[in-house]
């Protein structure tokens, strides 16, 4: 018997979401973000689909991820967001994001040695407080521009809270980025591409779109706004990942029986308890104990008791006359008219949908792709 869960990835949904993104930022290039194994969806399969759909760039976190795409035959421009390792950049023909002068110099040396010209993007910190040039940016960019073997093609920045209801800090970041853009042009530096928008900014801050946008989460059909009603943004995104498992056992238990470790759930009636093949080792975290639903036969049924390592119990008493051991169990996704979103699960687990997708995707023992 297979363990655990099956992640079903709907590539058509990703194409559909991409179309929506293109509609929102018509004059910007698309830098599709496929880091962290395409947010758990499988980077090679997703990237192949995105290339077919003509995205302009792919972006990954580390060069190892880019190497995997190259080895799968993907030859589109790939931006490496966090890892400017000079040897990998040259070997795999990648576009590094330069975060300081030091990394620019070592890249320049390697490029000269190999007699290559490398296109780079430079990151400036307009308020994220993570990576990028900070203070004297113009001077640093001018110095980097004078290095041999590298050419600055793009300048980028990243938002710290573009998903917030209060857009004032995001607008400050955009203003800083615009000022930098003006000063660079005054200094006579011609740079092709300015980019800073992530999913939330693509949806809510059109003034952040510049020459290119970097969608991640919305490509996979999940809104970055935890509570979508806080913003009037009803994009018809399609969630690409569904997570499914199956029933291991159906058990009739008497009233007043305790269920699972710690006896945190006691039945209040004669009950039908289903044991399903998913647990925290599959990314179905312990926060879901007595605190989530799954779909069976098109109904929402509650998780009861603690989530275990490989198994979880659900209360099937309300559907006891129709449920069978062969029934499919949907942890996340659609079944009949019911839908469990990544946002719903994130909310219950006290986290964000990004973490739900990456952990389900990483831990699912099988992935299947639907075209
Ligand atoms: C992850 C990432 C993105 C994409 O963010 P989403 O919120 O998923 O759209 C964009 N830019 C950078 C620098 C990132 O690290």
């Amino acid at each position: 018997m297979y363990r655990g869960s099956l992640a079903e990835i709907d590539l058509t949904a990703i194409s559909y979401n991409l179309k929506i993104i293109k509609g929102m930022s018509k004059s910007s290039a698309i830098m599709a973000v496929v880091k962290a194994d395409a947010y758990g969806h499988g980077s090679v399969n997703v990237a192949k689909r995105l290339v077919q759909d003509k995205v302009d760039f792919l972006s990954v976190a580390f060069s190892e991820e880019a190497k995997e795409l190259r080895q799968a035959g993907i030859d589109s421009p790939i931006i490496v967001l966090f890892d400017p390792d000079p040897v990998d950049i040259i070997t795999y023909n990648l576009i590094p994001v330069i975060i300081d002068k030091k990394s620019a110099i070592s890249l320049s040396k390697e490029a000269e040695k190999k007699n290559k010209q490398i296109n780079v993007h430079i990151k400036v910190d307009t308020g994220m407080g993570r990576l990028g040039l900070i203070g004297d940016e113009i001077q640093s960019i001018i110095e980097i521009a004078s290095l041999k073997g590298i050419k600055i093609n793009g300048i980028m920045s990243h938002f710290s809270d573009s998903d917030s209801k209060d857009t004032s800090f995001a607008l400050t970041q955009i203003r800083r980025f615009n000022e930098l853009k003006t000063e660079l042009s005054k200094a006579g530096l011609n740079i092709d591409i300015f980019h800073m928008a992530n999913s939330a900014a693509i949806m809510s801050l059109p003034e952040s779109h510049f020459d290119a946008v970097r969608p991640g989460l919305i490509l996979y059909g999940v809104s970055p706004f935890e509570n979508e009603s806080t913003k009037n943004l009803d994009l018809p995104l399609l969630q690409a990942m569904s997570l499914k498992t199956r029933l291991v056992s159906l058990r009739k238990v008497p009233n007043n029986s305790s269920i699972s470790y710690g006896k945190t759930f006691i039945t209040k009636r004669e009950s039908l308890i289903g044991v399903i093949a998913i647990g925290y080792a599959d990314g179905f975290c312990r926060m879901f104990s007595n605190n989530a639903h799954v779909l069976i036969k098109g109904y929402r049924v509650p998780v009861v008791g603690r989530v275990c390592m490989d198994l979880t119990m659900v209360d099937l008493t309300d559907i006891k006359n129709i449920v069978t051991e062969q029934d499919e169990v949907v942890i996340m996704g659609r079944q009949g008219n019911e839908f469990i979103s990544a946002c719903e699960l994130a909310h219950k687990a006290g986290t964000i949908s990004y973490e739900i997708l990456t952990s389900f995707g990483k831990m699912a023992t099988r992935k299947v792709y639907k075209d």
Side-chain angles (χ1 to χ4, degrees), residues 44-98:
V44 168
N45 286 287
V46 169
K48 281 187 174 164
R49 181 60 169 242
L50 292 168
V51 169
Q52 212 178 304
D53 291 343
K54 303 202 164 32
V55 297
D56 305 277
F57 299 83
L58 298 166
S59 35
V60 297
F62 301 104
S63 51
E64 190 179 14
E65 299 171 323
K67 177 177 164 186
E68 192 189 345
L69 299 180
R70 288 286 184 249
Q71 285 171 343
I74 293 165
D75 57 9
S76 327
I78 302 179
I79 297 175
V80 182
L81 294 168
F82 308 125
D83 175 17
D85 179 80
V87 176
D88 282 344
I89 296 297
I90 293 171
T91 311
Y92 299 105
N93 187 26
L94 310 172
I95 304 165
V97 169
I98 299 293

Side-chain angles (χ1 to χ4, degrees), residues 106-240:
S106 73
L107 190 65
S108 160
K109 281 188 183 145
E110 190 68 21
E112 275 212 279
K113 203 163 86 189
K114 301 248 168 77
N115 205 14
K116 295 259 183 199
Q117 177 82 5
I118 302 167
N119 290 325
V120 306
H121 290 213
I122 293 186
K123 184 179 249 183
V124 290
D125 186 357
T126 55
M128 170 65 186
R130 186 171 68 180
L131 292 173
L133 303 180
I134 182 159
D136 275 339
E137 295 96 340
I138 304 293
Q139 188 52 35
S140 304
I141 293 170
I142 290 170
E143 285 172 35
I144 292 170
S146 72
L147 294 170
K148 293 203 177 94
I150 62 181
K151 177 174 186 313
I152 304 174
N153 257 153
I155 304 281
M156 66 176 287
S157 196
H158 193 46
F159 286 108
S160 65
D161 70 345
S162 52
D163 57 339
S164 159
K165 234 201 292 194
D166 175 359
T167 55
S168 56
F169 192 65
L171 293 172
T172 301
Q173 287 193 262
I174 295 172
R175 183 177 46 73
R176 288 179 185 156
F177 200 56
N178 265 317
E179 283 165 7
L180 185 88
K181 191 177 167 188
T182 310
E183 283 182 52
L184 284 173
S185 118
K186 271 195 217 146
L189 279 180
N190 268 327
I191 285 147
D192 294 339
I193 313 174
F194 284 80
H195 53 106
M196 77 185 306
N198 57 1
S199 292
I202 291 169
M203 288 173 71
S204 65
L205 298 162
E207 59 273 59
S208 72
H209 291 183
F210 292 94
D211 308 302
V213 294
R214 303 192 304 267
L217 195 67
I218 48 175
L219 263 181
Y220 308 102
V222 178
S223 168
F225 300 105
E226 266 183 317
N227 174 5
E228 284 169 68
S229 62
T230 61
K231 295 227 171 183
N232 202 12
L233 299 160
D234 44 4
L235 281 186
L237 296 169
L238 290 177
Q239 189 174 297

Side-chain angles (χ1 to χ4, degrees), residues 274-286:
V275 183
I276 62 174
I278 191 167
Y280 57 78
D282 306 292
F284 194 68
C285 66
R286 220 158 152 276

